[in-house]
Amino acid sequence: MKYHLISGGCGFVGRNMAKHLLKTTPDSVIIVDDLSVGLAPAQWPVVSGRFLGGSPKRVQGNVEFWGDDERLIFWNGDFREFLRNISANPAWLNETYGLSLDRFADVFHFAAIVGGRAKIDGDPMMVALDLSIDAEFFYWAVRHKPARVMYPSSSAAYPINLQKEGDFVALKEDDIDFVTGNLGQPDMTYGWSKLTGEYLARIAAEYYGLHVASVRPMSGYGEDQDLTYPIPAIARRAAGKESPFEVWGSGKQGRDFVHIDDCVELMLLAMDKIKDGSAVNIGSGKITSFLEIIELFTEFAGYKPPIKPLLDKPVGVHARHADMSYVFEEWGWKPKVSLREGMKRVYDAQVRALS
Ligand SMILES: NC(=O)c1ccc[n+]([C@@H]2O[C@H](COP(=O)([O-])OP(=O)(O)OC[C@H]3O[C@@H](n4cnc5c(N)ncnc54)[C@H](O)[C@@H]3O)[C@@H](O)[C@H]2O)c1
């Protein structure tokens, strides 16, 4: 029996990865989340069809065992405490929960304080706690030696001077170059922590032989993302026919939107292809402004409202999008969900939520 581990497994990316692994493998998946942001499995939004039953098969303390075969195991608590428990007693999970775990197979480290632009700019010291979570994670990983590790960095690790109005470029993997030391200035504490995480991933591979892949996702979105993120929030307001339609800043700022199904697929491919801790972009390679997103959602909703810019809201860098040529050309991978299809799925989910 293989066990995969997902930290932050109740968050947006984590729960989508958990569902994917349960669907596509016969393996068990242990998710660890303190629910500071994430949703417990009982509340996971059902996007298409029924995924889980309404309650766990059994509960033991802070742990829920889901499904007839108990392949989904949810440990509710701080990931650092989970790691400390294993470090103190490597047989802790087996002795306490009756598992037959030798070492983890794939480990996906998604536990982080993220929270979108408002939190990145509004509470940067809270976001800096990611440094603590990542440091404890890599310290544990190089000792426990799971078969493979996924470290999600972020597009926020890229130098902000490449993302300015009138002067922006498509961000290429080697715009961050650990070999020459050409790193640039990342975006706030969030970007600094991700850049540091990438460095730790490389050290873990080089000095300890850990198989680890990093990725730099651009703006991931999907039907079950929470409303603190712009895409579902804009879709919800369009579904409710907001008019005038508010936009943060001028709305001309652009991002590279990539559907969560494509994120999950490319993360797994990256784990097959990369083991030295280096990173690839996850994106569509296209830039779309928030005004264009509003136009699309209001077209789905069948109306054309006037736009009301909210100039006091945080907007972050002007333009952030990926140069995807490495992954497209070297790996032959392309996103499967077009912007229009993905946004329509988000819009339909918000219409359902309102009805
Ligand atoms: N979603 C994206 O587009 C995107 C883009 C770039 C990078 N990433 C990275 O991918 C990872 C997952 O992102 P997400 O969008 O799913 O974020 P999310 O906020 O939805 O998920 C993070 C999860 O971690 C949990 N968590 C936080 N601190 C914890 C702790 N100490 N112990 C246990 N659980 C804890 C939260 O409750 C939450 O469920 C993050 O590292 C993020 O930086 C995501």
Side-chain angles (χ1 to χ4, degrees), residues 8 11-13 33-34 36-38 77-79 111-112 153 190 194 218 220:
F12 174 57
V13 182
D33 202 296
D34 63 3
S36 50
V37 169
D78 191 311
F79 185 49
S153 175
Y190 181 60
K194 293 299 184 183
M218 300 288 139

Side-chain angles (χ1 to χ4, degrees), residues 20-43:
H20 181 85
L21 294 175
L22 290 168
K23 236 185 263 165
T24 57
T25 74
D27 310 333
S28 289
V29 179
I30 300 182
I31 57 176
V32 177
D33 202 296
D34 63 3
L35 301 184
S36 50
V37 169
L39 298 174
Q43 300 166 301

Side-chain angles (χ1 to χ4, degrees), residues 25 29 41 51 65 79 136 185 194 212 216 228 242 255 259 261 263 267-268 281 324 327 332 334:
T25 74
V29 179
F51 177 66
F65 298 81
F79 185 49
E136 291 211 32
Q185 162 97 6
K194 293 299 184 183
V212 49
R216 297 180 192 141
T228 58
E242 178 178 282
R255 294 292 181 270
H259 192 271
D261 290 355
C263 290
M267 281 180 181
L268 291 166
N281 286 333
M324 289 299 293
V327 165
K334 286 270 163 67

Side-chain angles (χ1 to χ4, degrees), residues 7-15 32-39 77-80 109-115 130 133-134 151-156 190 194 215-221 225-226 229 258 260 263 267:
S7 75
C10 295
F12 174 57
V13 182
R15 60 181 181 259
V32 177
D33 202 296
D34 63 3
L35 301 184
S36 50
V37 169
L39 298 174
D78 191 311
F79 185 49
R80 289 163 291 192
H109 176 44
F110 297 136
I113 295 152
V114 193
D130 287 341
I133 302 172
D134 288 355
Y151 177 71
S153 175
S154 168
S155 50
Y190 181 60
K194 293 299 184 183
V215 288
R216 297 180 192 141
M218 300 288 139
S219 296
Y221 73 94
Q225 196 171 29
D226 76 62
Y229 285 85
V258 54
I260 185 65
C263 290
M267 281 180 181

Side-chain angles (χ1 to χ4, degrees), residues 172-332:
K172 213 172 162 39
E173 282 84 353
D174 56 15
D175 288 331
I176 297 173
D177 189 339
F178 285 98
V179 178
T180 61
N182 182 17
L183 301 173
Q185 162 97 6
D187 187 358
M188 293 293 293
T189 52
Y190 181 60
W192 278 104
S193 78
K194 293 299 184 183
L195 191 66
T196 307
E198 282 194 34
Y199 183 62
L200 298 183
R202 298 173 82 101
I203 293 288
E206 188 182 341
Y207 285 69
Y208 301 86
L210 188 73
H211 178 133
V212 49
S214 301
V215 288
R216 297 180 192 141
M218 300 288 139
S219 296
Y221 73 94
E223 295 88 308
D224 65 339
Q225 196 171 29
D226 76 62
L227 291 169
T228 58
Y229 285 85
I231 294 300
I234 294 171
R236 170 73 66 103
R237 290 191 281 121
K241 293 231 164 47
E242 178 178 282
S243 184
F245 208 100
E246 293 184 346
V247 63
W248 287 18
S250 67
K252 290 183 185 151
Q253 66 277 18
R255 294 292 181 270
D256 182 339
F257 296 102
V258 54
H259 192 271
I260 185 65
D261 290 355
D262 286 321
C263 290
V264 163
E265 191 181 272
L266 189 47
M267 281 180 181
L268 291 166
L269 182 62
M271 290 169 90
D272 291 342
K273 301 269 191 193
I274 298 175
K275 58 179 183 180
D276 65 357
S278 60
V280 289
N281 286 333
I282 298 185
S284 68
K286 294 186 193 118
I287 188 154
T288 308
S289 73
F290 284 94
L291 289 176
E292 288 170 308
I293 293 290
I294 291 171
E295 207 177 305
L296 194 57
F297 282 133
T298 52
E299 181 203 317
F300 295 150
Y303 77 123
K304 214 173 169 35
I307 301 294
K308 182 177 166 194
L310 301 179
L311 297 176
D312 57 335
K313 294 285 188 190
V315 293
V317 292
H318 180 71
R320 176 174 287 163
H321 73 300
D323 178 326
M324 289 299 293
S325 51
Y326 180 75
V327 165
F328 288 0
E329 284 156 29
E330 300 294 321
W331 294 0

